[in-house]
């Protein structure tokens, strides 16, 4: 007994000595929980994990450590984007894209999106709506270390009443309660991480309940569109776990009965927080992008894409002012701040999500823009915004004891950027250091 204990101790120690050790030294650490940042921080990374956290004064740096200076930088958990679409990449014509690109989603488009996210400091992302086999394959190859990319949590196909013509590969229709149960079981068996619902106001209440209850039976949370008042009402009744978008088109605010229903839900502590990704930056910044848009020529979004694909995407928004997708956006824009504040005041917990991949919105640029609009346009506290891009998403995904904050014993998903992000959140547009699971990618 003692001998085997000794033996395993020896094994453990010698194994530990072989793991590469990194020390991030000097920067101001914002750990993701939301409290006062730690100045002159030291983070010791051993292999994939965070081993110890302290300050230059309090923590000894192991002799074998590879020292990475973070002097003058903000150090924070790798960001999360809770609403991305890796199967698209800024092309403005969806019906064309859905005809031409499906054969290379798995090997080119989705991996390129995931890598672009990673290089932008987004170490985890919730991918909401793509073909099932491709979603699982890309996620698993990233997790196995075969290809670089943000850790993906995938929904696979959209679940809705009826797929739009030509989108059947990544939108599954629901016809009746049994069909709902079967399709959700099929997703669960394939290994998705959550379920994405849209147009749930077109389903019967029984179908919707079957979708949500079956998902919950398999420990899958349900993300639902909140574009129309009835989608929100029915979603709340059925018990969905997160709403998406700042919807209701150009209507000035959420109606009173919807707000009452939301407050009824947020009043129930036993159900946990009500989560919401408002995904505002694509809408808020549309006019700016239309009239300026030099950043569209930035090659950060070319990573992983062949020249012909880049040209095809560029060509699709040659006339940025004529895109049907954004026809009504200028009318919606002034309503966004009111709606986002209604949600905050009702006790909803907002998370950073962007709809990245929609026309002219690239995975290399979306996430910091969402943070920027929240903080610099809507006056949201920067620490609240950072928490909404780190701690809360990991909690929602059920992995908060593994990632989401810079904490001893968690995976080392850490970014660093020169300057003070609490003062200037837009510094996040150019992160200097990206580490995922202990490996430095930037
Ligand atoms: Zn979306």
């Amino acid at each position: 007994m003692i001998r085997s204990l000794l033996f395993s101790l020896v094994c453990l120690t010698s194994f530990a000595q072989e793991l590469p050790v990194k020390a991030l030294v000097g920067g101001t650490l914002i750990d993701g929980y939301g409290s006062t940042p730690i100045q002159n921080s030291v983070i010791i990374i051993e292999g994939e994990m965070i081993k110890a956290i302290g300050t230059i004064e309090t923590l000894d740096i192991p002799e074998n450590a590879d020292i990475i200076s973070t002097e003058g930088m903000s150090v924070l958990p790798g960001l999360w984007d809770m609403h991305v679409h890796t199967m698209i990449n800024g092309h403005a014509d969806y019906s064309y894209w859905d005809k031409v690109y499906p054969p290379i989603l798995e090997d080119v488009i989705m991996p390129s999106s995931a890598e672009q996210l990673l290089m932008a400091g987004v170490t985890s992302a919730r991918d909401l709506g793509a073909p099932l086999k491709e979603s699982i394959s890309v996620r698993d190859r990233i997790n196995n270390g075969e290809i670089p990319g943000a850790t993906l949590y995938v929904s696979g196909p959209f679940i809705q009443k009826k797929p739009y013509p030509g989108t059947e590969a990544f939108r599954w229709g629901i016809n009746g309660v049994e069909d709902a149960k079967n399709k959700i079981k099929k997703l669960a068996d394939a290994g998705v991480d959550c379920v994405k619902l849209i147009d749930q106001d077109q389903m019967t209440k029984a179908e919707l309940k079957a979708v949500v209850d079956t998902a919950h039976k398999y420990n899958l949370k349900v993300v639902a569109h909140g574009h129309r008042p009835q989608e929100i009402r029915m979603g709340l009744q059925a018990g969905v776990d997160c709403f998406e978008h700042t919807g209701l088109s150009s209507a000035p605010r959420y109606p009173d009965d919807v707000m009452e229903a939301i407050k009824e839900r947020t009043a129930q502590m036993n159900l946990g927080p009500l989560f919401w990704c408002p995904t505002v930056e694509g809408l808020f910044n549309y006019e700016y992008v239309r009239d300026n848009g030099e950043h569209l020529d930035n090659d950060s979004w070319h990573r992983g894409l062949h020249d012909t694909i880049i040209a095809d995407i560029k060509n699709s928004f040659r006339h940025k002012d004529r895109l049907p997708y954004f026809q009504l956006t200028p009318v919606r824009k002034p309503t966004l701040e009111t709606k986002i504040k209604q949600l905050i005041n009702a006790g909803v917990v907002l998370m950073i999500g962007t709809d990245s991949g929609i026309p002219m919105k690239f995975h290399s640029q979306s996430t910091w823009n969402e943070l920027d609009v929240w903080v610099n346009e809507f006056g949201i506290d920067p620490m609240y915004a950072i928490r909404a891009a780190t701690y809360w998403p990991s909690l929602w995904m059920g992995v908060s004891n593994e990632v989401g904050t810079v904490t001893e014993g968690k995976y080392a998903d850490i970014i660093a950027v020169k300057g003070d992000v609490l003062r200037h959140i837009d510094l996040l547009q150019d992160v200097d250091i990206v580490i995922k699971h202990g490996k430095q990618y930037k």
Side-chain angles (χ1 to χ4, degrees), residues 169 184 229 362:
I184 302 303
F362 302 120

Side-chain angles (χ1 to χ4, degrees), residues 66-246:
D66 191 357
I67 293 176
I68 300 168
S69 172
T70 54
E71 286 295 353
M73 298 186 188
S74 303
V75 181
L76 53 168
L79 301 176
W80 286 62
D81 191 321
M82 290 297 268
H83 192 132
V84 305
H85 295 287
T86 61
M87 68 165 282
I88 48 179
N89 189 7
H91 198 286
D93 184 348
Y94 286 168
S95 58
Y96 167 84
W97 186 267
D98 294 343
K99 268 193 217 94
V100 174
Y101 283 92
I104 60 165
L105 292 180
E106 183 173 351
D107 289 326
V108 180
I109 302 297
M110 294 167 73
S112 128
S113 303
E115 190 180 2
Q116 289 178 21
L117 285 164
L118 179 66
M119 297 315 282
V122 180
T123 53
S124 306
R126 199 172 62 176
D127 193 12
L128 297 176
L132 181 56
K133 179 175 81 72
E134 287 84 339
S135 297
I136 302 286
S137 147
V138 175
R139 178 198 66 187
D140 289 352
R141 276 183 289 149
I142 291 170
N143 287 343
N144 296 337
E146 290 168 46
I147 54 173
T151 304
L152 297 180
Y153 298 88
V154 304
S155 70
F158 298 83
I159 296 297
Q160 58 195 96
K161 183 62 194 168
K162 251 200 178 109
Y164 319 130
T167 66
E168 292 79 0
F170 56 92
R171 296 179 183 276
W172 289 3
I174 296 296
N175 188 14
V177 168
E178 279 316 300
D179 189 40
K181 289 182 184 169
N182 290 336
K183 292 213 164 101
I184 302 303
K185 180 175 186 306
K186 202 171 163 187
L187 292 177
D189 289 345
V192 301
D193 302 290
C194 60
V195 169
K196 170 79 182 288
L197 258 178
I198 81 164
D199 296 346
Q200 66 267 17
D201 54 344
Q202 294 168 14
M203 292 182 181
T204 67
K205 280 188 180 164
E207 286 168 337
L208 177 57
K209 190 167 160 32
V211 168
V212 176
D213 289 352
T214 310
H216 287 169
K217 188 177 110 185
Y218 291 106
N219 275 323
L220 297 172
K221 287 187 175 171
V222 180
V223 187
H225 259 198
H227 266 312
R228 293 182 291 272
Q230 190 61 0
E231 278 184 311
I232 301 172
R233 292 185 190 108
M234 286 182 69
L236 284 168
Q237 274 174 8
V240 307
D241 304 285
C242 189
F243 285 98
E244 304 301 294
H245 307 305
T246 304

